[in-house]
């Protein structure tokens, strides 16, 4: 009897990869109130980012609401409560409001364009009191009570936002842990199953995870049985899509099963700011550095304190003890329950020998103890728990970079992430004169500052990255470029004085403006390098003297002074 070859291939593909659009129950650790919170905007909800989404340095702690590419849409309190905190950051969340609700949750609104009049007055008073732009204000319950639907300000693009949107969070008030807002019923239209882009198998053996760990990126169409030998782990490249958008959003859960038995379950239900930076250990960080592709590992590095694993058998790695075929299944869901699965076969095969490369290490570093390494021109002091795994640490000295005041010091390489900072000391050469020592800093191979100060014959700093480093100096003050003011200009027709500011190396430390020797508020957007002062309505008519002082992190100061007429 002949079997149709096409039907056999189709059946094999169906068994290997199944995408189910039906909504299935999701795993939750607790129940959440439904209908208690309203939308923070009065437009149809559409997401450009979701809770748990993988960002470059952290897990995304909220949902990003699109604002029709506009700044200035009204923002509303999602429920009754009181404003417990209002904040202005340079970068980060920009203008932010935190509202405590009587049901034990806190709603958070970031990147706001402006606060409502009551909050704006509170913020401005504190800015003048402290004589600084960035402020963080805690408020008592009776100061600013709000009702559900009260306008708290306007949506915007402040802080580190890369475009107009609202970053919205719901936190547990007591623990401050961010929770998935869609679990409260604030969902975005989505009947699309998550997209599984790829599966990777890692031949781990007993070696620390690194760029030298053998990787096999599987074809999703293949039905072949994959040989394994010894301890191995699995990772997945997956994203979620929503109706009507092309954004790659975060999934809700990732389950890995061996013959139907759970091995690893990741759940983006709750996050912790204390462990958000561990994303570099959660993903295949070396592969991300090389390919800018994020593979989520279903096994855990031994010193990763991450809290998103709902279930983990051991460390999530697998060792087969027989020679039978075994079935591995990935099941990925979004918060609606839309589900995709991918299944493949593995077999323990003693004849399979992974190709394993290992760079010679200068020293062996342990994650659970302090590690020190000293060379003639460099020293590393790494505290306990700074590493996610043991490390075959490597060091070598390179040539002297152009404009440098030391040789290039290669402190391991850029493929290994760090959990905590370590102390790095570099010995300068004789060209670093006494006059330059206060201006010395450590920069990486790309010329980016990692800070630092000269002390006891070394330039020392604390950094949370490996790579090439050398000593440079910053002797240049920041630059100030006036945009709409000049000597004796009549400013009666405008309400703002605008500048562009920048620094060549160490970065902007402070900026202060003065009118007639009285401190005035300067507002700053680091994305556009824009700095401005909004002229007060009660500023008397006539001639005034404006002064702007901008200082970088090596205390180089630039001063701009000008007379203007109001």
């Amino acid at each position: 009897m002949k079997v149709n070859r096409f039907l056999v291939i189709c059946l094999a593909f169906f068994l290997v990869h199944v995408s189910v659009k039906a909504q299935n129950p999701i795993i939750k650790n607790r129940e959440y109130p439904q209908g208690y919170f309203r939308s923070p905007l009065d437009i149809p909800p559409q997401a450009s980012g979701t809770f748990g989404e993988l960002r470059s340095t952290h897990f995304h702690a909220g949902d990003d609401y699109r604002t029709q590419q506009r700044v200035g849409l009204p923002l509303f309190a999602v429920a009754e409560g009181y404003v417990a905190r209002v904040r202005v950051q340079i970068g980060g969340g920009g203008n932010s409001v935190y509202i405590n609700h009587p049901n034990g949750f806190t709603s958070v609104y970031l990147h706001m364009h402006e606060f409502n009049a009551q909050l704006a007055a509170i913020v401005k008073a504190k800015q003048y009191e402290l004589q600084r732009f960035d402020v963080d204000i805690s408020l008592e319950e009776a100061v600013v009570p709000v009702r559900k639907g009260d306008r708290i300000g306007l949506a915007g693009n402040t802080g580190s936002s890369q475009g107009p949107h609202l970053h919205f969070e719901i936190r547990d008030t007591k623990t401050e842990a961010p929770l998935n807002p869609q679990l409260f019923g604030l969902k975005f239209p989505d009947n699309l199953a998550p997209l599984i882009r790829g599966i990777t198998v890692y031949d781990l053996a007993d070696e620390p995870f690194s760029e030298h760990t053998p990787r096999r990126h599987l074809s999703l169409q293949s039905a072949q049985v994959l040989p394994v030998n010894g301890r191995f782990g699995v990772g997945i490249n997956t994203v979620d899509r929503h109706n009507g958008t092309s954004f790659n959003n975060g999934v809700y859960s990732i389950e890995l099963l061996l013959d139907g038995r759970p091995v690893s379950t990741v759940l983006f239900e709750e996050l912790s700011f204390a462990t958000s930076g561990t994303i570099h250990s959660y993903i295949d960080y070396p592969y991300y550095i090389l390919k800018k592709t994020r593979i989520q590992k279903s096994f855990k590095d031994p010193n990763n304190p991450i809290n998103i694993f709902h279930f983990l058998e051991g460390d999530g790695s697998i060792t087969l003890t027989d020679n039978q075929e075994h079935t591995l299944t990935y099941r990925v869901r979004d918060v609606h329950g839309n589900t995709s699965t991918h299944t493949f076969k593995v077999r323990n095969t003693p004849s399979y020998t992974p190709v394993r490369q290992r760079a010679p290490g200068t020293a062996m570093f342990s994650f659970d103890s302090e590690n020190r390494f000293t060379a003639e021109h460099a020293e590393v002091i790494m505290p306990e728990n700074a590493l996610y795994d043991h490390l075959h640490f490597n060091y070598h000295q390179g040539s002297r970079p152009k404009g440098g005041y030391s040789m290039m010091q290669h402190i391991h390489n850029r493929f290994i992430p760090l959990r905590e900072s370590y102390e790095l000391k570099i010995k300068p050469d004789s060209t670093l004169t006494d006059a330059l020592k206060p201006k010395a800093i450590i920069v990486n191979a790309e010329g980016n500052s990692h800070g630092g100060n000269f002390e006891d014959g070394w330039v020392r700093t604390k950094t949370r990255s490996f790579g090439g480093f050398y000593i440079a100096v910053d002797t240049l003050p920041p630059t100030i470029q006036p945009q709409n003011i000049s000597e004796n200009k009549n400013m009666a027709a405008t309400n703002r004085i605008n500048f562009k500011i920048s620094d060549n190396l160490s970065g902007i430390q402070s900026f202060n403006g003065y009118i007639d020797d009285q401190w005035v508020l300067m507002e700053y957007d680091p994305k556009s390098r824009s700095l401005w002062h909004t002229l007060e309505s009660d500023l008397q008519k006539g001639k005034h003297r404006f002064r702007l002082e901008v200082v970088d992190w090596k205390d180089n100061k630039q001063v701009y002074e000008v007379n203007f007429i109001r």
Side-chain angles (χ1 to χ4, degrees), residues 26 28 30-40 51 61-63 65 78-79 101-108 148 168-173 175 177-188 252 268-271 335-336:
I26 62 172
K28 292 184 295 184
R30 57 170 155 171
E31 294 302 314
Y32 300 86
Q34 303 297 300
Y36 186 90
F37 295 116
R38 57 152 285 168
S39 173
F51 187 87
D63 286 337
Y65 282 73
V78 295
H101 304 285
N103 65 347
F105 299 101
T106 299
S107 58
V108 183
K148 187 175 186 176
F168 175 76
E169 299 177 13
I170 296 180
R171 300 183 186 178
D172 183 304
T173 302
T175 67
L179 303 164
N180 194 320
Q182 294 191 73
L183 295 174
F184 294 83
L186 299 176
K187 293 184 177 180
F188 302 96
Y252 177 73
F268 290 104
E269 177 183 10
E270 178 177 337
L271 293 171
V335 75
H336 287 261

Side-chain angles (χ1 to χ4, degrees), residues 189-210:
D190 178 15
N191 61 9
L192 304 175
L195 176 63
I196 298 177
R197 290 172 161 174
I199 306 293
T200 301
V201 173
Y202 300 89
D203 296 300
L204 299 172
D206 295 321
E207 288 291 312
F209 185 81
S210 72

Side-chain angles (χ1 to χ4, degrees), residues 10-32:
C10 290
L11 179 61
F13 177 76
F14 180 78
L15 292 173
V16 171
H17 184 77
V18 180
S19 179
V20 184
K21 291 187 179 180
Q23 294 185 356
N24 300 300
I26 62 172
I27 305 168
K28 292 184 295 184
N29 289 311
R30 57 170 155 171
E31 294 302 314
Y32 300 86

Side-chain angles (χ1 to χ4, degrees), residues 17 192 197 384 432 456 479 507:
H17 184 77
L192 304 175
R197 290 172 161 174
E384 180 181 354
L432 188 69
D456 297 330
T479 61

Side-chain angles (χ1 to χ4, degrees), residues 154-366:
L154 303 177
N157 187 31
T158 57
S160 60
S161 168
Q162 297 304 307
H165 75 283
L166 166 67
H167 174 97
F168 175 76
E169 299 177 13
I170 296 180
R171 300 183 186 178
D172 183 304
T173 302
K174 186 175 181 180
T175 67
E176 297 187 359
L179 303 164
N180 194 320
Q182 294 191 73
L183 295 174
F184 294 83
L186 299 176
K187 293 184 177 180
F188 302 96
D190 178 15
N191 61 9
L192 304 175
L195 176 63
I196 298 177
R197 290 172 161 174
I199 306 293
T200 301
V201 173
Y202 300 89
D203 296 300
L204 299 172
D206 295 321
E207 288 291 312
F209 185 81
S210 72
E211 73 275 18
H212 301 297
T213 301
R215 293 158 170 79
R216 287 179 285 171
H217 305 290
L218 308 186
S219 168
L220 296 181
Q221 287 73 39
S222 174
Q224 294 181 347
V225 178
L226 188 75
V228 293
N229 184 2
R231 175 173 167 262
F232 70 96
V234 191
I236 185 170
N237 178 6
T238 183
V239 296
D240 190 35
R241 295 283 181 84
H242 289 182
N243 298 44
T245 75
S246 59
F247 293 98
N248 294 323
N249 297 317
V251 301
Y252 177 73
S253 64
I254 302 173
E255 298 173 81
L256 176 64
L257 303 99
L258 176 64
D259 299 328
R261 174 176 55 83
V263 174
S264 168
T265 301
V266 168
L267 206 60
F268 290 104
E269 177 183 10
E270 178 177 337
L271 293 171
S272 166
F273 289 115
T275 60
S276 186
T278 62
I279 186 172
H280 289 165
S281 174
Y282 170 67
I283 65 171
D284 180 347
Y285 187 69
Y287 193 74
Y288 169 70
I289 292 297
L290 286 172
K291 302 293 185 180
K292 299 305 176 188
T293 297
R294 296 182 179 94
I295 299 171
Q296 303 184 55
K297 299 181 324 195
S298 293
F299 56 98
K300 189 163 73 77
D301 294 335
N303 199 33
N304 188 350
I306 195 169
N307 68 335
I308 61 174
F309 284 95
H310 174 75
F311 175 82
L312 192 66
E313 184 176 71
D315 64 357
S317 65
I318 301 168
T319 303
L320 301 179
T321 57
D322 58 43
N323 296 327
Q324 305 301 311
E325 282 188 11
H326 294 271
T327 300
L328 281 168
T329 301
Y330 263 119
R331 185 162 59 211
V332 184
R333 289 192 173 108
D334 62 25
V335 75
H336 287 261
N338 301 310
T339 305
S340 290
T341 64
H342 180 80
T343 298
F344 61 103
K345 303 284 188 179
V346 293
R347 178 189 284 125
N348 181 39
T349 308
S351 61
Y352 167 69
T353 304
V355 178
R356 194 176 302 277
Q357 298 178 348
R358 177 175 162 186
T362 306
M364 187 66 187
F365 280 9
S366 299

Side-chain angles (χ1 to χ4, degrees), residues 503-545:
D503 188 64
N504 69 310
L505 190 53
S506 61
I508 302 294
Q509 178 184 180
S510 66
F511 48 84
N512 286 283
Y514 303 86
I515 292 181
D516 302 330
D517 294 325
Q518 296 297 310
W519 188 90
V520 295
L521 176 65
M522 304 298 301
E523 300 179 73
Y524 182 45
D525 177 15
K527 297 190 301 291
S528 61
R529 302 185 297 109
S530 298
L531 184 72
W532 66 93
H533 169 67
T534 301
L535 294 165
E536 302 291 348
S537 59
D538 60 355
L539 182 64
Q540 291 184 354
K541 294 182 179 180
K543 191 172 185 178
H544 297 277
R545 184 70 173 169

